[in-house]
Amino acid sequence: MIVSYNWLKTLINTQKTAEELDDLLTNTGLEVEKIHKKEGIKGGLNGLVVGHVLTCEKAPDSDKLSLTTVNIGFETVSIVCGAPNVVAGQKVVVAPVGCTIHPVSGEAFTLKKAKIRGHVSEGMICAEDEIGLGKNHDGIMVLPENLIPGTPLSEVFNLKNDYQIEIGLTPNRGDAASHLGVARDIRAITGESINMPTVADVLNTSPSPIEVSLPDPTICPRYSGILLKNITIKESPEWLKERLQSIDLKSINNVVDTTNYVLHELGQPIHAFDAENISGNKIVVRMANKGEKILTLDDVERALTGDEMVIADGSKPVAIAGVFGGKHSGVTQSTTSVFIESAYFNPGTVRKSAKTQGLSTDASFRYERGCDPNITVFALKRVVHILQEVAGAEIASGVVDVYPKPIQNQQIEVSCDWLNGFCGTSISSKEISGTLAKLDIETIGEKDGVLTLSIPPYRSDVLRPVDIAEEFLRIYGYNQVEIPKRLSMTPSIMPSFDKLKQLNKVANYLVSKGFYETMSNSQTKKSDRLTENAVHLLNPLSIENSVMRTDMVDGILQSVAYNINRKSADITFFEFGKIYSKTEAGYAENNRLMLVCTGKSTSKNWNTPAENADYFYLKGILEGLTSLLNISTKRMFKLLTISSFDKKTLKEFGIKQAVYYADIDWDALLKMLQNVKFTLNDVPVFPIVSRDLSLVLDKTVKYGEVERICRETAGHFAKEVEIFDVYEGKNIEDGKKSYAISIDLYDAKQTMTDEKIDGIMNKLMRKLEEETGAFIRK
């Protein structure tokens, strides 16, 4: 959620800078993710200065160019100017050499010293369109005569610079989804007062010609509205467009902009109906009938399932309540009268409507989290006040306010002793009450240290004593909770096997090999790869997050595709995560580790070519992992799948290059690691003897078979067996290959004699000849 610093300051008299609000809001639970300076004019006029034209003469070889000398405060420069209105004595805008200017149209550019028709030009005298101040290009800007040369232009013009405060709003804080909501948290910390916006005095008491009906108040507890006439649909004034632009919203027209403005100011969604298109002069809030259709504002005809709440007129649905307006009842250029809706809808019903249709809007975002049922009429009058100013609106009826069963403040009892014990504080009941009062949580009674608290309806997330503790702490300040100087430590027996330690060991190993760790959402979309045992969510956030993943593929391939699309095609990723499935007993979770690689595993340099990240590269990484974990390669490879993704899967993610992967059952690997036994050997004190063998074998014979024979034959004397060359081709007959292997022999009790070594090697060569048909070059 984006909040404008300037807009915020219209609602609260804060002297805090945007940077100071960063810490303050984050400490209250409204985490500020970043602060972005938004310049009123692109470039902020940086580098531009006031200049005084000292001399001005026509260039001898041109009818249009003038040769000028200009005092820019810190020096006098020569500038060739093509404007017809430049004369000596003027105060002008100068872009010196090195200054970057941002024209209204075209790309920004930096001024350099230049020669024009043989004359040196050390800058530029600017027109307003050349620096983003306007669209005029008839001549240079002429500034007031009292300005001092060298004055930065940003000080001359009162630029409306702003700061965007981006807040990572948690789902429970629907009350803070507006500038007013954020201002309330600032008030609670600083004690600074809030300025509620100006609203219209609705003196008209005549009944509305549009009748509002709520057949089921549980889905819509309150519906407020008003009829306005003589509306003029036109472009919004600059102040309104600037407010919306400050939070990256596009201006549409004065009526729609006003409804958007009030939504982001007060947190109350507003909808404007063209009153002429409300059939039968009726507004009915009801559940949709299965099979009904509505053409929404995005020109999509939507079939309703019966799970949606709709606003209907006398004949048909005209909006999906709290989510999206209908096309036929929307405001157009020909609209002259509007019926303004300001309602409180049941959060669960709106959530179901939005999810059923796969929609998410600014309105549904707030309704789903719970709006303030007590602000509907105030917000309505705020809209009327603005439309009177920007659209010439006239009030054509009194306020319609259908509220069959007013929502009361919730009451919660909290023991002060419990709260202090829970929070680690020693605070009096008076101070607790005072702190909570800053959040509009009123203490209406106290007995035996137990407070009876009244919670305003807009705080729909405060339901239990533990919620009160959270509210108290975030305003009282977590940093004020003292940590005891002496901590009582109870000895405990730590488990001999630490799963987190094993995970970190593997992660550190993979990072050391150049891999990057990724983290993906465990919720994914429906696809052909999902098994019938997939877990489908009953209330998904969106269609793209409607199923619990049954493998790690979607998330990690999305990360691969994202990087490839940004010209980063050499990728090595790993990810730990859970997969989910349905079982006869209920549901099951399984921890996995997935590795992927694509592109090049190494970059080329002057003496080494680049190597591919392929099956063999990945296999080598896994073999190194087995050594790290002290388990055999054979046992490790029983727990994993190592392969490449098929073309169909890669096409689904828009990937055109081969991607290799290893999928490891992490739970099974941890279980295996708990049973790993190891022995300690003395450091070798006798010489290690190395012997080489050159074998010619059938191509069908695998190296693993050769290594097995070597180790079994040499027994405990075989310290290492390695292959250092494989050859096929010239001087090797068809169907054959040559292996060169090295064998290290060691006797821990004595130095090995030549007789002992020769006996082992002769026996080994016989075994290789007998079992593999090898020809041994002697």
Side-chain angles (χ1 to χ4, degrees):
M1 182 187 76
I2 297 175
V3 171
S4 158
Y5 175 68
N6 288 348
W7 192 344
L8 196 60
K9 289 183 71 174
T10 66
L11 292 168
I12 185 164
N13 299 315
T14 183
Q15 301 303 312
K16 302 286 186 183
T17 65
E19 289 76 13
E20 289 171 335
L21 289 180
D22 182 341
D23 290 338
L24 185 150
L25 291 172
T26 298
N27 288 336
T28 66
L30 299 180
E31 182 182 358
V32 176
E33 295 178 338
K34 67 179 179 180
I35 293 181
H36 170 66
K37 185 176 182 180
K38 196 171 181 69
E39 296 171 329
I41 292 178
K42 193 171 183 181
L45 305 180
N46 290 333
L48 295 165
V49 297
V50 174
H52 183 200
V53 181
L54 302 178
T55 64
C56 178
E57 299 175 355
K58 288 293 181 182
D61 51 355
S62 173
D63 294 334
K64 295 183 178 180
L65 296 180
S66 299
L67 306 180
T68 69
T69 56
V70 185
N71 174 13
I72 58 173
F74 46 90
E75 64 177 324
T76 298
V77 295
S78 299
I79 297 177
V80 179
C81 180
N85 63 328
V86 60
V87 295
Q90 290 174 329
K91 297 293 176 65
V92 294
V93 177
V94 176
V97 172
C99 173
T100 299
I101 61 175
H102 300 263
V104 170
S105 59
E107 298 294 325
F109 61 94
T110 302
L111 271 295
K112 297 180 180 178
K113 188 174 181 179
K115 271 194 174 183
I116 301 175
R117 298 281 183 94
H119 304 285
V120 174
S121 186
E122 301 171 295
M124 176 177 173
I125 303 175
C126 304
E128 66 176 39
D129 70 322
E130 293 168 332
I131 57 175
L133 277 176
K135 298 180 181 179
N136 191 306
H137 192 69
D138 294 338
I140 60 169
M141 286 186 69
V142 180
L143 301 174
E145 294 181 358
N146 61 337
L147 295 178
I148 300 172
T151 302
L153 201 65
S154 58
E155 296 179 8
V156 176
F157 291 92
N158 183 23
L159 296 183
K160 296 179 180 178
N161 292 332
D162 197 2
Y163 291 90
Q164 288 184 336
I165 304 173
E166 192 165 328
I167 296 173
L169 198 67
T170 52
N172 64 311
R173 292 301 308 277
D175 67 290
S178 66
H179 286 75
L180 176 62
V182 174
R184 283 192 294 237
D185 267 17
I186 296 173
R187 176 193 63 184
I189 294 293
T190 66
E192 295 162 330
S193 60
I194 283 182
N195 307 314
M196 290 302 288
T198 303
V199 299
D201 290 327
V202 180
L203 302 177
N204 192 325
T205 58
S206 60
S208 171
I210 296 176
E211 178 188 351
V212 175
S213 175
L214 305 181
D216 182 2
T218 62
I219 64 172
C220 178
R222 187 175 192 180
Y223 193 100
S224 307
I226 194 169
L227 181 66
L228 304 178
K229 66 178 183 179
N230 292 334
I231 292 282
T232 302
I233 306 297
K234 58 183 179 180
E235 185 178 346
S236 294
E238 283 301 316
W239 73 265
L240 182 52
K241 289 194 289 187
E242 286 174 4
R243 278 284 182 258
L244 297 181
Q245 289 166 2
S246 71
I247 55 173
D248 295 341
L249 287 184
K250 184 180 178 181
S251 174
I252 298 173
N253 61 51
N254 52 348
V255 173
V256 175
D257 289 356
T258 297
T259 62
N260 285 332
Y261 176 87
V262 172
L263 178 145
H264 289 276
E265 181 181 54
L266 302 178
Q268 172 61 35
I270 302 290
H271 188 67
F273 295 99
D274 188 325
E276 298 297 325
N277 292 327
I278 298 177
S279 175
N281 282 336
K282 287 185 178 180
I283 288 289
V284 182
V285 185
R286 60 171 173 83
M287 297 302 292
N289 297 317
K290 187 175 182 179
E292 280 187 308
K293 293 183 179 180
I294 181 173
L295 182 68
T296 46
L297 288 168
D298 56 353
D299 289 316
V300 175
E301 186 175 66
R302 301 180 186 275
L304 303 176
T305 66
D307 289 328
E308 304 91 347
M309 176 172 46
V310 297
I311 309 295
D313 60 14
S315 60
K316 63 188 179 303
V318 293
I320 301 176
V323 182
F324 217 175
K327 181 79 171 181
H328 296 307
S329 64
V331 173
T332 66
Q333 288 299 119
S334 60
T335 298
T336 59
S337 60
V338 293
F339 184 76
I340 305 296
E341 167 193 286
S342 177
Y344 175 77
F345 298 118
N346 180 284
T349 308
V350 173
R351 190 179 304 116
K352 193 169 186 179
S353 299
K355 298 302 179 288
T356 299
Q357 290 295 327
L359 292 169
S360 179
T361 61
D362 281 343
S364 67
F365 177 88
R366 285 156 179 82
Y367 277 130
E368 289 175 20
R369 286 158 176 76
C371 292
D372 183 2
N374 293 335
I375 205 173
T376 59
V377 173
F378 182 87
L380 195 70
K381 292 181 178 180
R382 176 64 172 156
V383 172
V384 173
H385 173 76
I386 297 173
L387 288 181
Q388 285 176 325
E389 176 187 342
V390 305
E394 296 179 15
I395 300 171
S397 76
V399 172
V400 178
D401 188 23
V402 183
Y403 198 9
K405 188 178 179 180
I407 297 173
Q408 304 298 324
N409 285 18
Q410 184 176 340
Q411 293 185 11
I412 299 176
E413 291 188 347
V414 177
S415 163
C416 293
D417 288 343
W418 172 85
L419 188 143
N420 276 316
F422 184 86
C423 298
T425 54
S426 299
I427 306 299
S428 67
S429 61
K430 183 178 180 181
E431 189 170 354
I432 293 172
S433 296
T435 301
L436 294 173
K438 298 174 182 178
L439 295 167
D440 297 333
I441 297 176
E442 183 185 358
T443 302
I444 58 175
E446 179 180 356
K447 183 178 181 180
D448 299 329
V450 176
L451 303 178
T452 302
L453 304 170
S454 178
I455 317 300
Y458 76 81
R459 289 309 307 270
S460 58
D461 60 314
V462 181
L463 305 171
R464 305 159 299 169
V466 71
D467 298 326
I468 295 295
E470 179 186 1
E471 292 302 297
F472 168 75
L473 268 178
R474 70 185 187 86
I475 302 304
Y476 175 76
Y478 292 98
N479 293 334
Q480 290 199 65
V481 178
E482 293 185 4
I483 298 175
K485 295 181 179 179
R486 298 181 63 184
L487 297 176
S488 174
M489 301 297 290
T490 303
S492 62
I493 300 174
M494 294 298 293
S496 58
F497 184 78
D498 189 335
K499 293 182 179 180
L500 181 59
K501 186 176 181 180
Q502 296 296 327
L503 184 146
N504 287 333
K505 180 195 289 187
V506 171
N508 289 336
Y509 164 77
L510 293 172
V511 169
S512 74
K513 295 298 181 183
F515 279 71
Y516 291 88
E517 184 172 10
T518 64
M519 183 177 292
S520 306
N521 197 333
S522 57
Q523 299 169 4
T524 186
K525 61 184 178 182
K526 296 178 182 178
S527 71
D528 296 338
R529 289 184 292 101
L530 291 176
T531 67
E532 61 182 13
N533 295 326
V535 180
H536 294 260
L537 299 178
L538 296 177
N539 187 23
L541 291 172
S542 67
I543 296 175
E544 296 297 313
N545 297 280
S546 59
V547 185
M548 301 303 292
R549 63 185 176 195
T550 56
D551 57 38
M552 303 285 286
V553 174
D554 277 15
I556 206 162
L557 281 188
Q558 285 174 6
S559 298
V560 170
Y562 184 89
N563 282 269
I564 290 175
N565 292 339
R566 285 154 183 78
K567 309 301 182 185
S568 180
D570 302 328
I571 295 166
T572 48
F573 286 163
F574 73 95
E575 180 170 340
F576 290 95
K578 288 183 178 180
I579 61 174
Y580 306 83
S581 62
K582 287 189 292 187
T583 66
E584 292 182 0
Y587 299 95
E589 298 179 357
N590 176 229
N591 287 288
R592 312 293 294 187
L593 166 60
M594 177 169 267
L595 285 69
V596 295
C597 63
T598 184
K600 301 294 182 183
S601 62
T602 59
S603 57
K604 65 180 180 180
N605 56 43
W606 65 274
N607 68 345
T608 306
E611 295 183 359
N612 291 326
D614 55 14
Y615 174 91
F616 298 101
Y617 166 74
L618 201 54
K619 184 172 180 285
I621 294 294
L622 292 170
E623 287 173 344
L625 188 57
T626 63
S627 299
L628 176 76
L629 299 175
N630 196 33
I631 56 177
S632 69
T633 302
K634 185 176 181 180
R635 293 184 71 195
M636 172 73 165
F637 276 65
K638 285 182 179 179
L639 306 178
L640 60 84
T641 302
I642 180 170
S643 184
S644 61
F645 288 107
D646 60 78
K647 291 183 178 179
K648 181 181 177 182
T649 300
L650 294 177
K651 185 178 180 181
E652 181 183 342
F653 294 90
I655 300 172
K656 298 179 180 179
Q657 61 190 62
V659 181
Y660 298 86
Y661 73 92
D663 185 17
I664 303 170
D665 187 336
W666 181 249
D667 285 335
L669 180 59
L670 286 177
K671 188 174 181 180
M672 179 185 292
L673 292 177
Q674 291 184 62
N675 300 316
V676 169
K677 301 191 184 317
F678 62 93
T679 57
L680 298 175
N681 295 317
D682 292 333
V683 175
V685 294
F686 300 105
I688 296 174
V689 178
S690 182
R691 292 288 185 269
D692 295 340
L693 285 179
S694 179
L695 318 173
V696 179
L697 313 101
D698 288 340
K699 284 186 177 180
T700 57
V701 179
K702 296 181 179 179
Y703 169 70
E705 180 66 11
V706 174
E707 183 178 350
R708 180 189 64 79
I709 294 171
C710 291
R711 290 191 179 278
E712 289 181 355
T713 304
H716 67 275
F717 296 111
K719 189 170 181 66
E720 294 290 345
V721 180
E722 293 182 344
I723 183 170
F724 62 86
D725 189 37
V726 179
Y727 176 73
E728 296 177 27
K730 189 177 179 181
N731 298 328
I732 300 291
E733 62 183 282
D734 291 343
K736 299 287 185 178
K737 61 185 174 184
S738 173
Y739 278 168
I741 61 175
S742 174
I743 303 169
D744 289 348
L745 301 174
Y746 175 72
D747 189 340
K749 296 180 180 179
Q750 58 187 355
T751 300
M752 297 187 74
T753 63
D754 289 342
E755 182 180 0
K756 182 71 173 179
I757 296 167
D758 291 342
I760 294 172
M761 293 304 297
N762 288 333
K763 183 179 179 182
L764 174 57
M765 287 187 285
R766 285 197 305 273
K767 285 281 188 180
L768 289 170
E769 289 170 339
E770 292 170 1
E771 296 189 27
T772 68
F775 169 74
I776 300 177
R777 296 175 175 178
K778 302 176 183 177

